[in-house]
């Protein structure tokens, strides 16, 4: 670990923590309907939207009503994105004359974007028209993120309210998330990104003459190349901020038109965990106990930092097989050293590793390097962060509500250990909440393990694996870990655009999203009905270092115990083989 | 039930024998299905037994011997868990048998008319129905639970309470409830039967201690859900290992797929069998500890709620203070010598046999050396206290008339003779009230001599107990009929958090409801019929056994010792019950770490030899590694039976410290202990050459 790595890591963390508080307060005030700074400007727009769509912002919904609205709204999103892809050949804004997308790929992409996963089976610049990218994907980037935030806000209301049957109005939460939070932040970010060279145009792709002609495999000399263009900056901004991650281009943020400079890289990687981190503060602010928000943020950071450190460490160590070949893998002023395979020279080891860890800790899924090319343990970290259930930052909204589900389990066990039936943030945790929280921790591993098991058993699934052995196993495990936790990043090395993977991963994404959101809304409903238990000396405080450590242990133990055998057969054995051969 | 049995050892041969038989009987799948974790073990045991027979026929996936070894230890795991449950039940049954012995077929004297002296016929107790009135005379056993409608008698209730001193039962008031199976020692009672056969208190107790009516409590249900989820997760993690292994073998090009036997072994080791196996025993043992504390709970739910109580309502008299007030000081009027006040006070109290009166005599003697005289030598006539005069005193032979009584009564008395209260006296009276005392004014004819200060005596050690409760996070509220000034002073002296003065049944009920709507769980004790509404409203309501039937029915626990501070013990038992579950759950899950390190390298080292590096315990061979983990998993259940039955020790301290201590013991200990245990078992297996 050299000083460059340490300093860059620290700057990244410090920026996130510094921004979390002001943004957290801003979001809390938005959700509480208090003046937050942009009301003069956006208030009339908000009211106009309500009038236009016939929304009565003051009516609060039961949890079932809220869930139905959420599901209905998301299904419409899936149908629209599906239809846009299928019909894009006949629709405007298609300068490159892209043909209609196949049904299985269109299904996969539609589900992927509605569920805030943004798994890319498609290659943006070779598959989708500008219209599909803008009206389909970018719109879903906003709305899927806003859906996650709305569900979280409903859950927070469950802790604040007492003895009421309703959990808020889905449409209001959705509109406020989009209008006051996602749109202004995206606007700022996309303008800065454009200044760095991210493209934003309706022009068709351009042909340019190569400065240095190359000879391809069959001996022909290539003189020119096609540069894919499009309205990228506007989509890239929300893709980073809304933990979406679906790139405008196939190679995502390693593409020079999507992430051209170190500054654009810094801003994009900050944007990955900015809102998830700030939402912790929002929670503390809204429950009138800021320590609770800090505690959850601390728990996330305490898992995040060692993962970040390990990933940088393993990548900086480089490949042991290269050492025997006498290749210098030391970092010097002239070379980044370490394992640079699959990484962009302009980002180097540390910015690639920070991105890989941030994008998998938060369920963003955008990439600026090839995770498949990481060292076995360097690649294990991003995979495992997803397998933890996307609760270390996680998706906007969904990460924090996932962490709260773990906190419910943690207070339950801790409560038993001190001889008290548990309570969290003033609400008693009983059998019903436990049932729902249990679903939350059960469903993602079930999807990941079952999906991987089926895929390594079926012939039509196995042919997609490029590398046999543990690496190939890791590729499949990674794909399902990503889809089953709504992350969306890909290890690579697996040709996933086949009917089998499109449908299997599509289903995994669908269930991972809604089978978790519905139980959480049910918890919100059940908590809203309860009274608030006053704090006494016998109450287990949930903001202390001890509880934070206990919560981390619960997250890690569940994650580790569930996936240890699978990880052993993938990255761990690969690591051992690499070092013992 | 009897005190002597409290000391009975945990492992009693008369209990162990039947428990072993029971633990085999409990292998019945219909019993196992109630406990999902152990049901998975049963399925695994049957599956591996099948694999063993397959191996015997020569087509097995592994040598028959090694399958048999694992299979038998899986069966042992089940039997050990059943044994824990059977042990807990056995202890309960032993107590129930003691109770049953008291329930002989008692003859009863059923009266034709509910009045003493009317004719009766001798019938069997089993034919009695609610509403019948029976006569019970000295030497008779009370046939059924009931209320005394007429008469006073001393009753030996040792069969139920274990207390040998007889108690008084009489009609009316708060001591009118009698329990079937107890014996009248003197006099007679007319008892109206209050329950039908099979519904008596004794029946209830027997059912409770036998665990026959045991239902899962809400918290137990929540825990079962969590354990079921862990079981499903581990089921998935192990089942998917089969295709993972097949894929790995194909891509590695060598090795053999993991055997089903090893996967079953891994599964059983991972699922929380320790807590799953001990869970029923913990619940039964919790009830058992309640019974040993001489408390009968009507449901496990109440026991559990007891652990959660955060407000305790306690009656002042008898609970916080000794039942009687005592004289602590004489405060003379300005023109009076303190000795003459003491003397007059003592004379006035010589024939007053109330505890207050005795305490005045004693105080005068102790503090001022005034000899206790006999009322006859003074030629005095005692004027007893009456509700009308509200004072008592003596008329001496020399014509002196000394009276003592409440301030109002004496004021009226002296006014009659033209006397009056000085301002000084009035301020003394007020000061005493303010400090939680009761002023008794002493007057001789129209001259007021001074005031005796009577005070409630707070029970010794009670302050410390309340401090203990406060550390447990429980708020204490004193309930009293006193005025707010007195109440505040006593509450402060006893170290209570709050008080309810001038309490009536309505204000009590209102207080409980207010507390509950504020989200608090309220516990209270009560004995009188007027406590019944409040008892019915409280979350944990302990009725005194000496209390009325109405109180007992309204409560969800009955304290056989009728000791109001028993609530503290009840809270502890409730907490212990939860803690034992929580600690063993943590222990069980923490164990999994080491089991992975034992089994995973063993299972896959054939495919990937590099996995040797994960065998950090250096276990001898793959098969001994798997077997050692399975044996440890089975034996740990046996080792933890005493903990499950006795409960995790409880000491009051802050929640955070408590969690830290228990996490260190059961969390960190749970990670470390199996590493040592599995290694030891492996060394023994290797030394005895029991595995290849």
């Amino acid at each position: 670990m050299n000083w460059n790595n340490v300093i860059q890591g620290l700057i990244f963390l410090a920026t996130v923590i510094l921004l979390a508080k002001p943004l957290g307060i801003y979001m809390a005030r938005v959700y509480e309907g208090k003046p937050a700074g942009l009301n003069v400007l956006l208030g009339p727009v908000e009211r106009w939207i309500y009038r236009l769509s016939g929304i009565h912002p003051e009516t609060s919904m039961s949890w079932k009503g809220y869930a139905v609205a959420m599901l209905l709204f998301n299904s419409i999103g899936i149908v629209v994105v599906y239809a846009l892809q299928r019909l894009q050949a006949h629709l405007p804004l298609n300068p490159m004359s892209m043909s209609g997308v196949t049904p299985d790929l269109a299904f996969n992409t539609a589900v992927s974007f509605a569920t805030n996963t943004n798994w890319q089976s498609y290659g943006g610049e070779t598959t989708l028209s500008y219209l599909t990218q803008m009206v389909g994907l970018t719109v879903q980037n906003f709305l899927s993120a806003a859906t996650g935030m709305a569900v979280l806000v409903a859950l927070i209301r469950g802790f604040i309210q007492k003895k009421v049957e309703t959990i808020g109005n889905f449409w209001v939460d959705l509109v406020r998330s989009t209008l006051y939070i996602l749109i202004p932040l995206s606007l700022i970010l996309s303008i800065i990104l454009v200044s760095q060279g991210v493209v934003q145009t309706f022009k068709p792709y351009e042909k340019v003459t190569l400065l240095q002609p190359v000879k391809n495999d069959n001996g022909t000399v290539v003189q020119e190349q096609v540069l894919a263009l499009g309205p990228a900056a506007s989509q890239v901004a929300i893709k980073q901020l809304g933990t979406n991650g679906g790139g405008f281009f196939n190679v995502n943020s390693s593409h020079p038109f999507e992430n051209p400079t170190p500054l654009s890289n810094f801003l994009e990687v900050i944007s990955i965990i900015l809102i998830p981190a700030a939402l912790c503060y929002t929670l503390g602010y809204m429950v009138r106990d800021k320590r609770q928000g800090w505690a959850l943020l601390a728990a996330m950071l305490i898992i995040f930092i060692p993962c970040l450190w390990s990933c940088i460490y393993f990548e900086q160590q480089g490949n042991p097989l290269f050492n025997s070949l006498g290749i210098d893998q030391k970092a010097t002023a002239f070379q980044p050293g370490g394992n640079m395979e699959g990484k962009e020279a302009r980002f180097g080891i540390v910015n690639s590793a920070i991105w890989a860890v941030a994008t998998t800790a938060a369920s963003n899924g955008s990439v600026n390097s090839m995770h498949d090319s990481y060292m076995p343990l360097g690649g294990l970290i991003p995979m495992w962060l997803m397998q933890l259930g996307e609760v270390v930052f996680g998706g906007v909204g969904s990460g924090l509500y996932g962490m709260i589900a773990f906190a419910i389990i943690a207070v339950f066990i801790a409560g038993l250990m001190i001889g008290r039936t548990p309570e969290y943030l003033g609400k008693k945790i009983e059998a019903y909440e436990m049932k729902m929280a249990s679903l939350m921790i059960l469903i993602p591993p079930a999807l990941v393990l079952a999906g991987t098991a089926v895929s390594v058993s079926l012939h039509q699934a196995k042919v997609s694996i490029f590398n046999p052995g543990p690496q190939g196993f890791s590729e499949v495990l990674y794909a399902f870990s990503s889809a089953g936790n709504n992350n969306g990043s890909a290890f690579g090395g697996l040709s996933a655009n086949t009917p089998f993977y499109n449908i299997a991963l599509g289903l995994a994404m669908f269930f991972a999203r809604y089978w978790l959101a519905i139980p959480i809304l049910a918890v919100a409903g059940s908590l809203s009905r309860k009274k608030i238990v006053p704090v006494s000396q016998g109450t287990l405080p949930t903001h202390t270092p001890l509880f934070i450590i206990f919560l981390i242990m619960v997250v890690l133990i569940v994650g580790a115990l569930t996936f240890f055998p699978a990880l052993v057969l993938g990255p761990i054995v690969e690591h051992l083989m690499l070092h013992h051969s | 039930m009897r005190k002597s049995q409290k000391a009975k050892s945990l492992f009693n041969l008369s209990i162990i024998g039947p428990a072993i038989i029971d633990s085999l009987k409990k292998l019945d799948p219909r019993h196992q299905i109630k406990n999902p974790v152990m049901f998975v073990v049963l399925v695994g045991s049957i599956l591996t037994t099948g694999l063993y027979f397959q191996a015997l026929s020569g087509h097995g996936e592994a040598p028959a011997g090694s399958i048999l070894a694992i299979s038998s230890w899986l069966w042992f795991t089940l039997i050990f868990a059943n044994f824990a449950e059977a042990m807990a039940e056995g202890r309960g049954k032993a107590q129930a048998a003691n109770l049953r012995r008291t329930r002989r077929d008692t003859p009863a004297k059923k009266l034709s008319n509910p009045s003493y002296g009317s004719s009766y016929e001798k019938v069997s107790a089993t034919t009695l129905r609610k509403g019948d009135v029976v006569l019970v005379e000295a030497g008779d056993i009370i046939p059924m639970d009931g209320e005394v409608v007429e008469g006073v008698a001393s009753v030996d209730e040792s069969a139920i309470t274990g207390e040998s001193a007889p108690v008084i039962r009489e009609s009316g008031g708060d001591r009118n409830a009698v329990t079937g199976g107890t014996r009248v020692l003197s006099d007679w009672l007319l008892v109206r039967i209050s329950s039908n056969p099979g519904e008596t208190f004794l029946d209830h107790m027997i059912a409770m201690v036998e665990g026959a009516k045991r239902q899962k409590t809400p918290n137990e249900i929540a825990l079962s859900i969590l354990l079921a989820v862990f079981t499903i997760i581990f089921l998935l993690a192990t089942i998917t290992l089969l295709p993972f292994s097949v894929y790995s073998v194909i891509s590695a090009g060598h090795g053999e797929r993991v055997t089903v036997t090893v996967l079953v072994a891994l599964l059983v080791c991972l699922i929380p069998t320790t807590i799953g196996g001990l869970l029923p025993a913990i619940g039964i043992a919790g009830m058992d500890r309640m019974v040993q504390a001489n408390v009968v709970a009507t449901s496990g739910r109440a026991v559990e709620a007891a652990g959660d109580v955060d407000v305790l309502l306690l009656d002042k008299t008898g609970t916080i203070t000794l039942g009687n007030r005592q004289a602590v000081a004489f405060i003379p009027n300005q023109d009076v010598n303190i000795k003459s006040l003491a003397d007059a006070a003592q004379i006035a109290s010589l024939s007053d046999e109330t505890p207050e009166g005795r305490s005045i005599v004693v105080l005068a003697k102790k503090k001022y050396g005034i000899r206790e005289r006999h009322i006859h030598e003074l030629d005095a006539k005692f004027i007893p206290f009456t509700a009308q005069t509200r004072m008592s005193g003596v008329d001496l032979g020399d014509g002196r008339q000394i009276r003592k009584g409440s301030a109002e009564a004496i004021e009226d008395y002296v006014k009659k003779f033209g006397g009056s209260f000085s301002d000084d006296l009035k301020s003394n009276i007020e000061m005493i009230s303010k400090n939680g005392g009761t002023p008794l004014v002493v007057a001789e004819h129209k001259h007021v001599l001074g005031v005796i200060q009577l005070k409630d005596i707070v029970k010794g050690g009670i302050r410390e107990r309340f401090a203990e409760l406060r550390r447990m996070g429980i708020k204490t509220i004193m309930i009293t009929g006193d005025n707010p000034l007195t109440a505040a002073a006593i509450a402060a002296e006893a170290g209570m958090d709050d008080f309810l003065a001038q309490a009536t049944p309505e204000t009590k009920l209102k207080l409980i409801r207010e507390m509950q709507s504020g989200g608090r769980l309220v516990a209270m004790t009560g004995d009188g019929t007027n406590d019944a509404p409040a008892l019915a409203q409280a979350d944990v309501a302990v009725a005194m056994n000496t209390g009325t039937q109405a109180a007992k029915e309204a409560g969800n626990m009955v304290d056989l010792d009728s000791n109001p501070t028993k609530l503290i013990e009840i809270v502890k038992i409730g907490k212990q019950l939860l803690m034992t579950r929580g600690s063993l759950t943590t222990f069980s899950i923490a164990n999994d770490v080491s089991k992975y390190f034992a089994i995973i390298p063993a299972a896959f080292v054939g495919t990937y030899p590099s996995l040797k590096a994960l065998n950090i315990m250096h276990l001898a061979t793959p098969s001994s590694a798997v077997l050692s983990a399975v044996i440890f998993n089975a034996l740990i259940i046996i080792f933890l039976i005493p903990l499950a039955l006795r409960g995790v020790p409880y000491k009051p301290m802050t929640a955070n410290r408590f969690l830290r201590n228990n996490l260190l013991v059961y969390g960190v200990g749970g990670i470390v202990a199996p590493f040592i245990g599995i290694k030891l078992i492996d060394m023994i297996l290797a030394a005895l050459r029991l595995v290849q």
Side-chain angles (χ1 to χ4, degrees), chain B residues 8 13 85 98 118 150 154 158 209 256 305 333 387 417 422 505 508 527 557 571 600 675 687:
Chain B
K8 104 188 139 190
L13 271 183
E85 191 180 343
N98 271 333
S118 72
E150 206 182 324
S154 60
S158 60
V209 294
E256 279 188 46
N333 266 9
F417 303 107
S422 66
K508 277 193 221 179
D527 52 4
M557 288 184 203
V571 169
I600 292 291
F675 274 105

Side-chain angles (χ1 to χ4, degrees), chain A residues 3-33:
Chain A
W3 280 109
N4 174 39
N5 296 351
V6 174
I7 290 167
Q8 297 221 41
L10 286 178
I11 292 176
F12 165 72
L13 289 170
T15 314
V16 171
I17 296 168
L18 278 179
L19 291 176
K21 184 173 170 178
L23 181 60
I25 295 176
Y26 172 78
M27 290 194 287
R29 296 187 70 89
V30 166
Y31 289 122
E32 286 175 347

Side-chain angles (χ1 to χ4, degrees), chain B residues 401-564:
Chain B
Q401 296 183 338
I402 304 173
R403 293 288 181 277
K404 69 176 203 296
S406 72
E408 296 81 21
I410 298 294
E411 190 163 17
D412 289 346
Y413 175 78
V414 296
K415 266 188 186 155
K416 242 177 14 198
F417 303 107
S420 69
F421 274 20
S422 66
D423 288 345
D424 187 39
L425 177 71
K426 280 181 185 161
S427 81
N428 281 344
I429 291 169
E430 200 173 310
M431 185 199 70
I432 291 171
S433 299
K434 226 179 229 169
N435 291 334
T438 309
L440 271 189
V441 184
V442 182
E444 187 177 342
H445 202 61
K446 67 175 183 175
H447 303 291
V448 179
L449 301 173
V451 199
I452 309 169
Q453 183 182 5
L454 290 181
K455 219 177 145 191
D456 271 308
I457 301 299
V458 171
K459 280 186 178 173
I462 201 100
R463 211 187 153 85
E464 288 70 34
R465 298 214 84 175
F466 290 145
E468 194 175 296
L469 282 170
R470 198 165 305 113
R471 281 200 298 279
M472 288 158 81
I474 297 171
K475 189 176 163 184
T476 46
I477 299 181
M478 181 179 85
I479 308 239
T480 169
D482 292 345
N483 66 59
L485 276 182
T486 314
I490 296 169
E493 192 181 342
M496 304 200 71
D497 298 299
D498 207 347
F499 61 89
L500 176 70
Q502 283 157 348
T504 63
E506 293 75 35
T507 54
K508 277 193 221 179
L509 195 60
K510 191 164 153 265
L511 177 71
I512 295 177
R513 289 206 174 125
E514 267 168 26
M515 292 281 171
Q516 286 173 333
S517 69
R520 296 183 187 278
L521 236 79
V522 181
M524 75 167 282
T525 55
D527 52 4
T529 301
N530 63 357
D531 288 329
L535 283 169
Q537 181 70 32
D539 301 284
V540 175
V542 185
M544 300 293 104
N545 193 38
T546 50
T548 59
Q549 197 64 30
K552 283 194 210 171
E553 272 165 21
N556 47 20
M557 288 184 203
V558 176
D559 177 21
L560 300 175
D561 295 341
S562 303
N563 170 9

Side-chain angles (χ1 to χ4, degrees), chain A residues 29 33 40 83 86 93 104 109 135 171 261 322 335 340 351 354 421 430 474 493 512 524 565:
Chain A
R29 296 187 70 89
V40 181
R86 300 283 290 142
L93 273 179
D104 57 292
T109 309
V135 180
W171 309 112
T261 65
F322 283 3
Q335 65 168 31
M340 276 299 286
N351 282 310
I354 291 177
T421 60
E430 288 161 302
S474 298

Side-chain angles (χ1 to χ4, degrees), chain B residues 92-334:
Chain B
K93 275 185 193 144
Q95 279 169 341
N98 271 333
L99 287 172
R100 265 209 197 88
R101 230 166 279 144
T102 64
R103 190 175 58 180
R104 284 157 269 172
D105 187 21
T106 0
K109 297 168 181 164
K110 186 175 163 188
L111 291 168
S112 49
N113 279 317
S115 61
Y116 187 62
S118 72
S119 64
Y120 62 78
E121 53 170 328
K122 283 206 169 182
V123 297
S124 158
T126 50
T127 63
L128 291 173
R129 290 292 176 274
K130 206 167 167 175
D132 289 347
V133 178
V134 294
L135 170 69
V136 196
E137 289 169 304
D140 290 351
I141 286 177
I142 296 173
M144 297 274 270
D145 293 1
E147 275 173 46
V148 178
V149 288
E150 206 182 324
V152 186
S154 60
V155 179
D156 170 17
E157 294 197 338
S158 60
I160 300 288
T161 62
E163 202 60 61
S164 52
V167 292
I168 300 296
R169 293 284 175 247
E170 60 191 339
S171 62
D174 288 347
R175 293 193 292 181
N176 68 353
V178 288
T179 310
T182 55
R183 182 189 295 271
V184 172
L185 295 178
S186 68
D187 307 289
W188 54 268
L189 295 171
L190 293 193
V191 177
R192 179 179 288 121
I193 302 301
S194 60
S195 53
N196 289 325
E199 299 166 7
T200 65
F201 194 57
L202 198 63
D203 290 308
H204 207 90
M205 263 175 92
I206 292 173
M208 279 322 287
V209 294
E210 278 192 321
K213 281 206 304 188
R214 218 175 72 83
Q215 284 173 323
K216 280 190 176 173
T217 58
N219 196 269
E220 214 175 341
I221 292 169
L223 181 58
S224 306
I225 292 168
L226 185 68
L227 296 181
V229 164
F230 275 118
T231 308
I232 297 172
I233 287 181
F234 291 129
L235 200 60
L236 278 165
T238 42
I239 286 180
T240 53
L241 270 181
L242 196 59
F244 293 175
S245 166
V246 172
Y247 172 84
S248 301
V249 169
I250 294 171
S251 64
H254 55 83
E256 279 188 46
R257 70 155 174 85
V258 65
T259 62
V260 174
T261 312
V262 167
L263 285 185
V264 171
L266 177 63
L267 174 63
V268 170
C269 284
L270 291 180
I271 60 174
T273 47
T274 313
I275 177 68
L278 293 174
L279 197 56
I282 295 170
I284 299 168
M287 285 298 222
D288 190 61
R289 281 198 295 279
M290 228 21 146
V291 172
Q292 282 183 30
N294 268 359
V295 176
V296 178
T298 54
S299 72
R301 203 190 182 106
V303 180
E304 216 167 63
D308 266 354
V309 160
D310 35 26
V311 177
L312 213 54
L313 303 187
L314 292 167
D315 264 330
K316 184 195 78 176
T317 309
T319 309
I320 300 160
T321 59
L322 297 171
N324 314 302
R325 292 175 243 229
Q326 293 190 350
V328 290
F330 298 112
I331 302 164
N333 266 9
Q334 271 167 336

Side-chain angles (χ1 to χ4, degrees), chain A residues 26 38 41-42 45 49 138-139 141-143 145-146 149 174-191 234 237-238 241-242 275:
Chain A
Y26 172 78
L38 293 175
L41 205 62
L42 298 175
V45 184
I49 293 173
T138 307
V139 168
N141 276 353
F142 280 100
L143 299 180
M149 293 160 85
L174 188 77
V175 168
R176 287 190 179 154
S177 304
T178 314
L179 190 63
Y180 287 92
I181 299 165
L182 296 172
I183 289 181
L185 284 173
S186 302
L187 195 66
I188 299 168
L189 183 62
S190 52
I191 288 170
S234 54
I238 182 64
L241 285 163
I275 296 181

